[in-house]
Amino acid sequence: GQKLLNDLLKNIDKELKNNKEIRKVTSYSEVDEVFKRNLEQYMRAFIIEDNNFGLKNLREEQKESFFRTTEEFLNKSKAFDNELTPEDIGQALRNVWIINILQAVMGEKIRLTSSILGYSLLYPYTDNYLDDSSIAKEEKSEFNDRLMKRLKGESIAPLNSYEEKVYSLVGFIEKDFDRREYPELYEALQ
């Protein structure tokens, strides 16, 4: 997972260094614009055409679906929280890619669902919060206790905007998987 993301970032970095447009710019904002214009091309080349990514055995429509799902995830992630960092999105994107590969292997349509979006984004929200050394242990413990109650299906009012986002992500999973029909899913999330 991490190697795959690192390879993607190295490929994008190499492409940017070779980009003639980049050599002509004079400010950071111009670099940012060139990057945004070319990101789709760089990702497409890496995800669909690079054999190291492991998609060479997928049919062309599956490769295209894989790319569209990646693009949709990036857009929906930023729409959900425009303060997500590239690192946060990268952490979550690895989950999306693994699920998409499983979808292909199982013969299912490669797509992004509410539950895939919610599950994938939960990882950076919860893991990075718990790893943040600037947050007191007691606060982390309270957050974790409250999240466990939410995952068990209790109606918990969020204490702040961060919890509100985390609980919304759990809600995305609930849209696709009814608790009564899939209790083991919610147990696994705990």
Side-chain angles (χ1 to χ4, degrees):
Q2 184 65 42
K3 181 187 178 321
L4 191 60
L5 184 60
N6 288 341
D7 289 348
L8 172 61
L9 294 175
K10 284 179 189 172
N11 186 52
I12 290 172
D13 186 53
K14 182 182 85 175
E15 292 293 331
L16 281 173
K17 287 178 182 171
N18 293 332
N19 188 304
K20 292 176 183 166
E21 266 188 282
I22 289 282
R23 294 185 201 144
K24 297 177 185 175
V25 300
T26 58
S27 71
Y28 178 77
S29 61
E30 288 178 288
V31 171
D32 192 45
E33 284 303 312
V34 170
F35 178 77
K36 286 177 185 171
R37 275 198 307 274
N38 292 285
L39 181 61
E40 179 177 338
Q41 170 191 335
Y42 300 149
M43 287 184 59
R44 184 175 293 278
F46 184 79
I47 292 172
I48 295 179
E49 297 166 12
D50 190 322
N51 286 336
N52 294 322
F53 193 73
L55 299 182
K56 63 182 176 183
N57 294 324
L58 295 180
R59 296 182 316 273
E60 286 306 310
E61 67 269 11
Q62 288 177 311
K63 290 178 187 178
E64 193 60 34
S65 293
F66 195 91
F67 176 74
R68 280 195 310 274
T69 298
T70 299
E71 188 174 46
E72 182 182 359
F73 175 77
L74 295 173
N75 292 332
K76 286 187 174 186
S77 296
K78 289 308 263 182
F80 178 75
D81 182 354
N82 65 2
E83 293 182 17
L84 283 169
T85 67
E87 292 80 15
D88 294 335
I89 293 174
Q91 282 179 304
L93 185 57
R94 287 192 301 264
N95 290 330
V96 174
W97 285 346
I98 290 167
I99 294 168
N100 286 166
I101 289 170
L102 288 172
Q103 287 172 326
V105 168
M106 294 168 60
E108 294 181 15
K109 181 180 177 187
I110 297 172
R111 62 193 180 110
L112 182 68
T113 63
S114 291
S115 56
I116 294 170
L117 178 69
Y119 173 77
S120 297
L121 285 174
L122 268 176
Y123 176 66
Y125 272 96
T126 57
D127 199 54
N128 294 347
Y129 182 85
L130 296 173
D131 288 346
D132 189 336
S133 60
S134 70
I135 300 171
K137 286 184 181 184
E138 299 80 28
E139 193 175 333
K140 290 178 186 180
S141 181
E142 289 172 12
F143 169 81
N144 210 29
D145 290 344
R146 293 173 60 71
L147 177 58
M148 286 305 121
K149 288 178 181 179
R150 177 67 180 89
L151 290 171
K152 289 178 180 178
E154 293 182 35
S155 180
I156 302 287
L159 293 179
N160 53 47
S161 62
Y162 196 84
E163 276 191 11
E164 186 176 349
K165 289 176 185 172
V166 171
Y167 296 175
S168 291
L169 295 172
V170 174
F172 290 174
I173 297 168
E174 291 170 326
K175 285 180 187 174
D176 291 343
F177 294 97
D178 183 276
R179 289 180 169 279
R180 293 176 301 255
E181 290 181 51
Y182 300 96
E184 63 281 351
L185 170 70
Y186 295 94
E187 289 169 14
L189 289 173
Q190 299 170 32

